[in-house]
Amino acid sequence: MPVKKFSDVEATPIKNAKDTTIQVLIAPDEAPNFAMRRIEMQPGGSMPLHMNAVEHEQLVLGGRGRVVLGDEVHEVSKDDVLFIPAGLQHSYETIGDEPFVFICSVPNKPDEITVCD
């Protein structure tokens, strides 16, 4: 699997998210250290406040989003890069009329996702 097209990877809905899909571009069994995912959030889409047991490194490919990181709120767009430490509460929502799309890399370690109230 050294090369593939992301358009060939199935997009599946993300549980607890609204109008949001995930494509696992590089799965944990395909690389020794990191997995790579592509997230696409349609206009009006969102992911609730949650925490992960592993860190995230993200690159925004298109659209605009509002991202809550702990006590901070950021508006992000194409070419912005985000680092989300393990255990930090965070959420996402699309801003505008185009999909908010980003790449998310995570370490190949056990991840527990906790949706916050």
Side-chain angles (χ1 to χ4, degrees):
M1 182 301 313
V3 177
K4 61 182 162 183
K5 298 216 179 285
F6 80 82
S7 57
D8 292 337
V9 177
E10 180 183 7
T12 59
I14 294 178
K15 182 180 175 183
N16 296 320
K18 178 183 175 196
D19 297 329
T20 303
T21 58
I22 185 170
Q23 293 170 283
V24 180
L25 304 178
I26 300 175
D29 63 348
E30 295 177 304
N33 299 306
F34 288 90
M36 180 184 290
R37 309 174 299 191
R38 180 180 181 273
I39 312 294
E40 185 165 330
M41 192 173 295
Q42 297 304 314
S46 62
M47 274 195 266
L49 193 64
H50 63 284
M51 295 185 305
N52 295 76
V54 299
E55 67 187 59
H56 299 12
E57 290 83 18
Q58 299 177 338
L59 169 64
V60 179
L61 301 176
R64 295 184 315 126
R66 184 172 294 110
V67 182
V68 174
L69 301 173
D71 294 332
E72 300 176 359
V73 178
H74 301 271
E75 290 192 6
V76 297
S77 58
K78 187 175 192 270
D79 299 333
D80 284 338
V81 176
L82 297 84
F83 172 69
I84 303 173
L88 182 69
Q89 291 186 5
H90 57 288
S91 67
Y92 307 84
E93 67 179 296
T94 302
I95 300 171
D97 297 330
E98 61 182 300
F100 175 46
V101 183
F102 58 94
I103 294 292
C104 180
S105 292
V106 295
N108 284 341
K109 295 180 181 178
D111 187 16
E112 184 175 323
I113 302 168
T114 304
V115 177
C116 307
D117 293 329

